[in-house]
């Protein structure tokens, strides 16, 4: 609880400090606040008793703390790497950072909720700032399109979710997830209302995480939104949505596993194929990232299809590794800063700026799952855990990793190529800021040595 | 431990040494590894047990135990020694190729490659094996990308995607068999009890990975293009060392892990190997690019080795080990010869070559010796290897033995055709300077090894035999 309060105050303070029009002050205050939140969470880990612990809406258990910490790390990285872009609009620096932190607040509620009501609030707090942020590039029609599209489809999904919650309430008579679980365990006959509700809630989740066939918004939104917001959506929003997803389905709906598992199996496979096959043809970098993120959602869904004791942890580790790679790539995209965001604009990056090129290559290979990078261990944990129960699904997932290598490798080759002799594409300057270099350094260290996380207990 | 660390440290240090010293540094680094390998070999007492170092680390929440477990038996040690010597030869034979040998990037990548290869040969843990296996792909990819010939991009993609998908199939096998065993260590995996169906899954995954890497017909289509377009050092790494990873993998991992599947797979692999032997040899006869000839020749030779390994008789397995060593040295020799011609003349088209023997008698002599070793003339190690292999396959099924035996004739045809067209005949009016000392020394070392093993193969056989016997024992027990 303390962590949430600190976080909320940080967001408010950030907004008000914005009046001073001192971007650096805003930045340092917000980062400080986020670090404080992290510290509070770590205290919570060691001393679970906490004031206001009698409140039953949220519960900071180990699961929530792990997910929240990662979300905080990612948010700090994104604020740091996107600072250059935020700063370019002096009036709004604090607004951007404040909104991101509010959104993070929602994400943390979504991984710690105890009843459907808090869950819904968390989802809205998570989403609404993103609707605004996606349109932050006001002079760019693509950005407005992205914002509008995300808002309309997102609002629709929220409506469906609410509807589902209502049906579920009608069937079980409670909002609390443990009571719902209890109800399903004891009920002699489960009313069909519950199944309908579950399906509605499932679709809303699939929309939020961008799984096929609810993925159509994500390439457009990723493409149009400002780069830091894209990174935030890929890393933090997904983390929050997945956290809530696995929590709700492994607790509240655990008894209905046989009902939703086949649907999810099919959708996981569909999502992997849609993401990977569409990514092959992309020429714009952020669209490539969007489709690759769809594919990664497919791999992550495997943890839910095959539930074991380690599912939540595997999912956590996977999203952790995925987030670092994505943030690194988004930062590189900001450095390349091509107006039309073509992949070809990355040509010569390896020569012009070896460090940035190196990080980009490592991040792409990490997404592709090349050992010994962190991305490999993420995939490995998921696959190794699930293979005993469903070898065919893992075979499909590995086949998809094979398809994936095609477009990651193509981008790697572009980055390592000599700068183009053809004048069709003017050479970017690859300007970096010190903050971005710090972010890239942190990400590359994590990707190279993150596998070591498995070795410590 | 030091076996693995030496190349790794040398790879890191290579980034910071002065430009002038790069070439000498490379040779010294490789020599240190060779010496370390020899010291291990001298102290090694042949036995069937792995000399292993196990360091256990438990993972998060008591989930998957993860081991750093590496060591060697006679087979592994042979491969380690082979790798170190071949890496030295690759660096030595590139000594005169200024654009490559004086590049820090190149030297660092070769040492890194050596590190990955040694890791593959030393791992006694499935996951570790897979990690090193994939790691070896990165340096060869970069060497190819930075130093390759024109039009490499397509070949590069093809090569990487082929091998990566193959590796994923292997990852599937490893984690699948892991679900039947308490850990990834090789002892546990070998002890796992599989049903025939699951053994087929495991075996199939390994088979795809190794068939792509070896390459076996019909998984070979990436190979000629890749060999032709990659720089000579890359070709040597691929042909002399990387494909040996797959042959070694068959002996160390594929067969002992899932022998239950052998009864349906042996025949298939022997047939594919045999088809590859004959098909690639016929293609080799028709090629005009010297490097492509040797690329197809390589497919032909390794098809024979793969077929020999899978029939699992002691003769054939011993022959396979001898031939693995022999083929590595011969491949280095042949690709070096092709590259010498390329360096001097700027092309390798057999139809436009001729008369080199008059101008460069030393080159002609050493090239001839390598060619003889390639076609298995007695007193070279090629003879010992192929004789044992064909004997083993003949024992499995005499028809296959006879058919695969035609490789001896076909090899003569393409090798001597390439030699004759390039070396003899009227000179086509170009200057051809004779060998430099580094090239001469490379040829000399290759020849010494090949002839020594041809005359006295016993010490190599003594070294690998206990391990091979244990392999047959494992299969028979299951």
């Amino acid at each position: 609880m303390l962590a949430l309060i600190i976080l909320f105050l940080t967001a408010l303070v950030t907004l008000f400090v914005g009046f001073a029009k001192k971007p650096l002050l805003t930045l340092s205050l917000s980062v400080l606040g986020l670090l404080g939140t992290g510290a509070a969470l770590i205290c919570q880990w060691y001393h679970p008793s906490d004031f206001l612990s009698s409140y039953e809406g949220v519960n900071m258990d180990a699961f929530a703390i792990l997910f929240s910490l990662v979300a905080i790390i990612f948010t700090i990285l994104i604020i740091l790497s996107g600072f250059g872009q935020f700063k370019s609009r002096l009036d709004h620096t604090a607004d951007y950072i404040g909104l991101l932190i509010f959104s993070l607040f929602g994400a943390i509620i979504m991984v710690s909720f105890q009843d459907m009501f808090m869950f819904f609030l968390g989802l809205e707090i998570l989403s609404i700032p993103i609707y605004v942020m996606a349109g932050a590039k006001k002079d760019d029609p693509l950005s407005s399109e992205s914002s509008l599209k995300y808002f309309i489809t997102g609002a629709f999904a929220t409506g469906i979710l609410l509807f589902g919650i209502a049906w579920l309430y009608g069937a079980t008579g409670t909002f609390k997830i443990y009571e719902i679980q209890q109800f399903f365990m004891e009920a002699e006959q489960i009313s069909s209302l519950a199944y309908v509700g579950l399906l509605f809630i499932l679709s809303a989740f699939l929309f939020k995480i961008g799984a096929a066939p609810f993925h159509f918004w994500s390439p457009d939104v990723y493409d149009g939104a400002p780069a830091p917001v894209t990174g935030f959506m890929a890393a933090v929003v997904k983390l929050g949505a997945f956290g809530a997803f696995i929590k709700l389905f492994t607790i509240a709906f655990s008894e209905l596993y046989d009902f939703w598992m086949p649907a999810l199996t099919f959708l996981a496979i569909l999502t992997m194929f849609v993401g990977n096959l569409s990514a092959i043809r992309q020429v714009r970098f952020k669209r490539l990232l969007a489709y690759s993120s769809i594919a990664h959602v497919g791999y992550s869904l495997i943890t839910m299809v095959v539930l074991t004791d380690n599912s939540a942890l595997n999912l956590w580790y996977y999203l952790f590794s995925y987030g670092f790679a994505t943030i690194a790539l988004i930062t590189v995209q900001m450095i390349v800063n091509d107006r039309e965001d073509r992949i070809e604009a990355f040509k010569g990056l390896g020569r012009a700026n070896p460090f940035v090129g190196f990080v980009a290559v490592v991040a792409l290979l990490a997404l592709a799952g090349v050992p010994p990078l962190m991305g490999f261990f993420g995939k490995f944990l998921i696959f190794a855990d699930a293979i005993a129960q469903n070898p065919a699904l893992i075979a499909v997932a590995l086949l998809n990793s094979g398809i994936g290598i095609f477009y990651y490798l193509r981008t790697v080759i572009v980055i390592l190529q000599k700068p183009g002799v053809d004048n069709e594409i003017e050479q970017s300057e690859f300007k970096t800021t010190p903050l971005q270099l710090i972010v890239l350094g942190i990400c590359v260290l994590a990707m190279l040595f993150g596998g070591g996380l498995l070795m410590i207990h | 431990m030091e076996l693995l660390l030496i190349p790794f440290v040398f790879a890191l240090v290579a980034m910071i040494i002065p430009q002038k010293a790069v070439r000498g540094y490379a040779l010294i680094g490789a020599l240190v590894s060779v010496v370390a390998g020899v010291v291990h070999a001298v102290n090694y007492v042949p036995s069937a047990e792995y000399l292993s170092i196990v360091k256990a680390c438990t993972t998060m929440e008591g989930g998957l135990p993860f081991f750093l477990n590496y060591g060697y038996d006679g087979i592994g040690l042979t491969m380690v020694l082979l790798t170190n010597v071949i890496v030295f030869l690759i660096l030595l034979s590139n000594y005169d190729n200024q654009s490559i040998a004086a590049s820090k990037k190149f030297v660092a990548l070769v040492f890194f490659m050596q590190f990955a290869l040694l890791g593959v040969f030393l791992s006694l843990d499935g996951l570790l094996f897979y990690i090193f296996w994939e790691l070896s792909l990165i340096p060869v990819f970069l060497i190819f990308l930075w130093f390759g010939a024109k039009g490499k991009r397509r070949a590069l993609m093809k090569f990487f995607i082929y091998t990566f998908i193959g590796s994923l199939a292997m990852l599937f096998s490893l984690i699948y068999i892991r679900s039947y065993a308490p850990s990834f260590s090789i002892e546990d995996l070998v002890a796992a009890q599989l049903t025939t169906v699951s053994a087929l899954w495991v075996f199939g995954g390994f088979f795809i990975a190794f068939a792509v890497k070896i390459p076996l017909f019909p998984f070979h289509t990436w190979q000629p293009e890749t060999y032709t377009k990659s720089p000579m050092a890359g070709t040597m790494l691929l042909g002399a060392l990387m494909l040996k990873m797959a042959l070694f993998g068959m002996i160390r991992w594929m067969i002992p892990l899932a022998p239950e599947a052998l009864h349906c797979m042996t025949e298939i692999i022997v047939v594919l190997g045999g088809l590859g032997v004959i098909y690639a040899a016929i293609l080799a006869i028709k090629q005009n690019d010297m490097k492509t000839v040797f690329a197809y020749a390589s497919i032909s030779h390794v098809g024979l080795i793969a077929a020999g390994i899978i029939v699992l008789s002691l003769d054939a397995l011993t022959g396979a080990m001898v031939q693995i060593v022999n083929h590595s040295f011969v491949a280095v020799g042949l690709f070096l010869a092709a590259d010498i011609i390329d360096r001097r003349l700027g092309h390798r088209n057999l139809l436009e070559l001729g008369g080199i023997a008059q101008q460069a008698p030393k080159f002609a002599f050493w090239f001839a010796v390598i060619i003889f070793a390639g076609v298995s003339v007695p007193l070279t190690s090629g003879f010992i290897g192929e004789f044992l292999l064909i004997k083993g396959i003949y024992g499995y099924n005499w028809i296959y033995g006879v058919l695969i035996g035609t490789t001896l004739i076909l090899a003569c045809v393409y090798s001597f055709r390439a030699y004759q067209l390039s070396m003899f005949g009227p000179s086509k009016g170009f200057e051809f300077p004779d060998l430099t000392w580094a090239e001469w020394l490379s040829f000399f070392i290759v020849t010494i090894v090949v002839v020594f093993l041809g005359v006295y193969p016993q010490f190599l056989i003594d070294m690998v035999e206990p391990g091979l016997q244990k392999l047959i024992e494992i299969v028979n027990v299951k």
Side-chain angles (χ1 to χ4, degrees):
Chain A
M1 240 5 228
L2 184 64
L4 277 176
I5 293 169
I6 296 179
L7 188 63
F8 187 71
L9 288 178
T10 308
L12 281 184
V13 169
T14 309
L15 276 182
F16 280 104
V17 168
F19 290 126
K21 294 218 169 35
K22 285 190 180 128
L24 263 180
L25 180 68
T26 321
L27 177 76
S28 26
L29 270 178
S30 61
V31 171
L32 220 60
L34 287 171
L35 289 176
T37 316
L41 282 172
I42 292 169
C43 286
Q44 178 95 38
W45 177 276
Y46 289 109
H47 306 284
S49 64
D50 185 20
F51 80 106
L52 281 182
S53 58
S54 58
Y55 179 62
E56 285 173 356
V58 294
N59 180 18
M60 282 289 169
D61 49 4
F63 171 88
I65 292 177
L66 281 178
F67 272 77
S68 311
L69 278 178
V70 173
I72 290 171
I73 294 172
F74 287 165
T75 312
I76 294 177
L77 290 178
I78 286 165
I79 291 177
L80 289 181
S81 81
F83 184 61
Q85 288 208 359
F86 297 145
K87 205 175 59 177
S88 62
R89 289 167 177 274
L90 249 190
D91 309 345
H92 297 300
T93 318
D95 303 358
Y96 295 148
I97 296 177
L99 283 174
L100 280 186
I101 297 177
F102 274 123
S103 185
L104 170 67
F105 183 78
I108 291 182
I109 290 184
M110 277 186 73
V111 293
S112 59
F113 71 92
Q114 292 293 301
D115 63 31
M116 298 301 254
F117 183 66
M118 279 313 277
F119 160 60
F120 178 72
L121 275 185
L123 184 69
E124 284 300 275
I125 300 174
L126 173 78
S127 306
I128 292 175
I130 301 295
Y131 298 148
V132 181
M133 293 291 287
K137 280 196 289 185
K138 281 184 239 163
D139 43 3
D140 182 356
L142 272 183
S143 180
S144 308
E145 181 202 327
S146 147
S147 172
L148 195 64
K149 202 171 242 172
Y150 193 35
F151 173 65
I152 292 175
T153 47
F156 194 65
T158 312
I160 290 181
L161 177 74
L162 262 187
F163 203 33
I165 293 177
W167 283 75
L168 195 67
Y169 184 77
T172 62
T174 175
F175 276 137
K176 299 212 160 36
I177 53 175
Y178 283 102
E179 286 177 13
I180 296 174
Q181 184 187 27
Q182 199 68 28
F183 175 84
F184 285 135
M185 272 181 193
E186 289 162 2
E188 284 154 17
Q189 195 187 351
I190 298 170
S191 104
S192 55
L193 287 179
Y195 291 108
V196 178
L198 188 149
L199 281 181
F200 278 141
I201 294 175
L202 181 67
S203 345
F205 267 120
L206 292 173
F207 171 83
K208 274 291 160 203
I209 59 177
F214 302 95
H215 67 283
F216 290 100
W217 58 275
S218 83
D220 289 341
V221 175
Y222 277 43
D223 191 18
V229 183
T230 310
F232 190 83
M233 282 195 280
V236 181
V237 174
K238 204 156 272 177
L239 194 78
F242 255 118
F245 196 3
I246 196 164
K247 187 164 190 169
L248 197 59
F249 277 68
T250 52
I251 295 173
F253 301 136
S254 57
E255 291 300 307
L256 304 180
Y257 177 70
D258 294 332
F259 172 67
W260 51 264
M261 191 276 285
L264 218 51
T265 314
F266 171 72
L267 290 176
I269 293 173
L270 184 71
T271 308
M272 286 187 264
F273 274 110
V274 165
N276 277 317
L277 292 178
S278 320
I280 290 176
R281 300 288 296 171
Q282 301 305 317
V283 291
R284 293 169 69 122
F285 188 69
K286 278 200 280 183
R287 289 189 89 85
L288 179 82
L289 274 190
Y291 281 111
S292 118
S293 102
I294 294 172
H296 284 276
V297 166
Y299 306 131
S300 318
L301 279 177
I302 294 174
T303 56
M304 312 215 18
V305 172
V306 184
L307 280 179
T308 64
D309 295 341
N310 289 324
S311 275
L313 220 51
N314 291 344
L315 178 66
W316 173 77
Y317 188 80
Y318 191 80
L319 293 172
F320 197 26
S321 66
Y322 168 77
F324 275 120
T326 310
I327 291 173
L329 285 176
I330 281 291
T331 311
V332 172
Q333 197 268 349
M334 283 188 257
I335 290 169
V336 172
N337 198 16
D338 182 51
R339 200 158 23 80
E340 287 177 41
D341 191 27
R342 287 156 306 191
I343 294 175
E344 285 296 310
F346 282 64
K347 213 173 192 175
L349 181 64
R351 304 257 168 160
N353 196 333
F355 175 68
V356 178
F358 172 70
V359 179
V361 169
V362 169
L364 284 165
L365 292 181
L367 284 182
V370 174
L373 302 173
M374 200 178 175
F376 163 72
F377 286 103
K379 276 206 178 89
F380 167 76
L381 281 182
I382 292 182
F383 294 170
D385 216 22
I387 197 162
Q389 288 185 39
N390 202 340
L393 178 65
I394 303 306
V396 172
L398 284 169
L399 175 70
N400 268 285
S401 301
I403 303 173
I405 189 70
F406 179 79
Y407 54 87
Y408 293 123
L409 191 68
R410 205 187 46 181
T411 319
V412 167
I413 291 180
V414 170
I415 290 173
L416 293 178
Q417 261 176 350
K418 286 179 196 141
V421 268
D422 47 341
N423 291 329
E424 282 175 38
I425 296 167
E426 75 273 28
Q427 202 62 49
S428 308
E429 291 168 36
F430 305 132
K431 265 192 234 149
T432 56
T433 66
L435 284 178
Q436 283 173 335
L437 289 182
I438 292 173
V439 171
L440 288 181
I442 294 172
C443 287
V444 79
L445 283 181
M447 285 183 286
L448 286 176
F449 303 110
L453 257 186
L454 297 181
M455 297 199 196
I456 53 172
H457 191 63
Chain B
M1 190 68 202
E2 66 275 13
L3 283 175
L4 272 173
L5 272 186
I6 289 170
F8 188 65
V9 172
F10 271 102
L12 290 183
V13 177
M15 311 278 190
I16 52 167
I17 55 161
Q19 189 66 41
K20 261 193 253 168
V22 172
R23 296 198 295 173
Y25 168 83
L27 292 186
I28 292 169
L31 259 185
V32 173
S33 285
V34 172
V35 170
V38 169
V39 170
H40 273 268
V42 169
N43 291 332
Y44 180 71
V45 183
S47 84
E49 299 307 317
Y50 310 116
L51 294 173
S52 72
I53 303 158
V54 185
K55 212 196 277 166
C57 313
T58 8
T59 52
M60 32 202 270
E61 311 290 294
L64 303 146
F66 183 67
F67 288 89
L68 281 181
N69 186 355
Y70 53 90
Y72 53 73
D73 62 350
I75 304 171
L77 191 58
T78 309
M79 300 307 292
V80 168
L81 207 53
L82 175 71
T83 309
N84 288 343
V85 176
I86 293 285
V87 165
F88 175 71
L89 273 179
I90 289 174
L91 289 168
L92 181 66
S93 60
N94 271 292
Y95 192 79
D96 292 311
N97 194 347
Q98 283 285 355
S99 63
I100 286 189
S103 157
K104 284 181 199 175
K105 274 197 269 186
F106 172 74
V107 173
L109 286 173
V110 170
F111 281 132
F112 193 67
M113 180 76 190
Q114 187 182 11
F115 165 69
L117 284 162
L118 293 179
V120 167
F121 296 137
L122 289 172
S123 307
L124 295 177
D125 178 278
L127 190 60
L128 205 61
F129 172 72
Y130 179 76
I131 290 173
F132 277 119
W133 174 276
E134 288 288 89
L135 213 54
S136 70
L137 210 53
I138 309 276
V140 96
F141 169 78
L142 290 175
I143 289 178
F144 196 169
L145 183 72
W146 281 331
F147 304 102
K150 266 207 164 67
K152 65 199 166 191
R153 199 167 154 174
R154 208 180 96 90
L156 190 56
M157 292 288 286
K158 206 159 146 187
F159 160 67
F160 201 95
I161 291 170
Y162 252 104
T163 46
F164 193 80
I165 291 182
S167 312
L168 287 173
M170 181 167 81
L171 179 62
F172 175 85
S173 293
L174 277 170
I175 56 183
Y176 190 56
I177 192 171
R178 161 71 177 74
S179 64
Y180 289 88
S183 83
F184 268 115
S185 90
I186 186 162
E187 276 95 358
D188 286 341
L189 293 183
V190 168
Q193 295 293 326
L194 301 176
T195 61
T196 310
V197 178
S198 50
L200 267 176
W201 277 98
V202 172
F203 198 94
F206 276 115
F207 174 67
I208 293 173
F210 296 153
V212 167
K213 205 90 160 197
I214 289 176
L216 274 183
F217 177 85
F219 301 93
H220 68 283
T221 50
W222 60 272
Q223 194 250 30
E225 199 179 344
T226 308
Y227 277 26
T228 313
K229 292 277 168 26
S230 83
M232 190 261 286
T235 320
M236 285 181 177
L237 281 173
L238 282 170
L241 292 175
M242 266 188 102
L243 69 86
K244 304 303 184 298
M245 283 169 28
L247 294 169
F248 171 81
M250 284 176 75
I251 296 177
R252 169 62 47 85
W253 298 95
M254 182 168 92
I255 297 175
L257 255 49
E260 294 91 339
L262 272 175
H263 61 94
C264 14
M265 293 299 283
T266 304
E267 186 111 21
I268 297 175
I269 297 178
V270 172
V271 169
L272 287 182
L275 270 177
V277 167
I278 296 166
Y279 170 77
I282 291 172
L283 284 179
I285 295 173
K286 296 297 289 177
Q287 301 301 319
N288 287 329
D289 183 334
M290 202 171 199
K291 217 169 166 187
T292 318
V293 174
F294 296 145
Y296 278 113
S298 178
I299 301 181
S300 174
H301 282 297
V302 292
L304 175 62
I305 302 179
I309 289 175
I310 205 71
V311 300
L312 272 183
S313 74
L314 190 58
D315 279 340
L317 281 170
T318 318
M321 286 307 295
V322 176
Q323 185 66 357
I324 284 174
V325 175
N326 171 62
H327 179 263
S328 297
F329 283 98
V330 171
V332 167
L334 289 178
F335 287 121
L336 174 60
D339 195 60
I340 286 176
I341 293 176
D342 196 11
R343 263 184 242 166
R344 305 262 200 283
L345 303 178
H347 69 86
R348 304 177 297 250
N349 190 343
L350 287 174
L351 300 179
E352 293 173 26
L353 293 172
I356 294 176
Q358 296 160 10
Q359 297 188 34
K362 272 196 268 176
F363 176 51
F365 170 71
W366 293 114
F367 191 13
V369 176
I370 309 284
I371 290 270
F372 282 138
V375 300
S376 316
V377 169
L379 291 188
T380 64
S381 53
F383 173 70
I384 313 279
E386 299 221 321
F387 175 77
L388 288 172
L389 279 170
I390 293 173
K391 178 165 175 271
I393 297 170
Y394 190 87
Y396 172 71
N397 185 335
W398 68 271
I399 299 176
Y400 294 141
V402 170
L403 285 176
I404 287 182
T406 56
T407 173
L408 293 172
I409 303 163
L410 292 168
C412 287
V413 179
Y414 59 73
S415 302
F416 288 140
R417 174 175 171 272
Y419 189 76
Q420 184 198 1
L421 284 176
S422 58
M423 291 294 148
F424 299 139
S427 176
K428 296 272 166 68
F430 45 71
E431 286 289 307
F432 199 93
D434 214 336
L435 299 180
T436 63
W437 69 268
E439 290 162 353
W440 183 85
L441 191 59
S442 313
F443 276 133
F444 184 70
I445 294 174
V446 170
T447 312
I448 289 286
V449 173
V450 165
V451 172
F452 176 73
L453 282 181
V455 179
Y456 183 67
Q458 197 57 41
F459 96 99
L460 175 62
I461 294 176
D462 285 344
M463 200 141 146
V464 297
E465 208 167 60
L468 297 175
Q469 266 165 349
K470 188 183 174 195
L471 169 69
I472 295 175
E473 199 180 300
I474 289 172
V475 174
N476 287 339
V477 168
K478 280 198 178 180

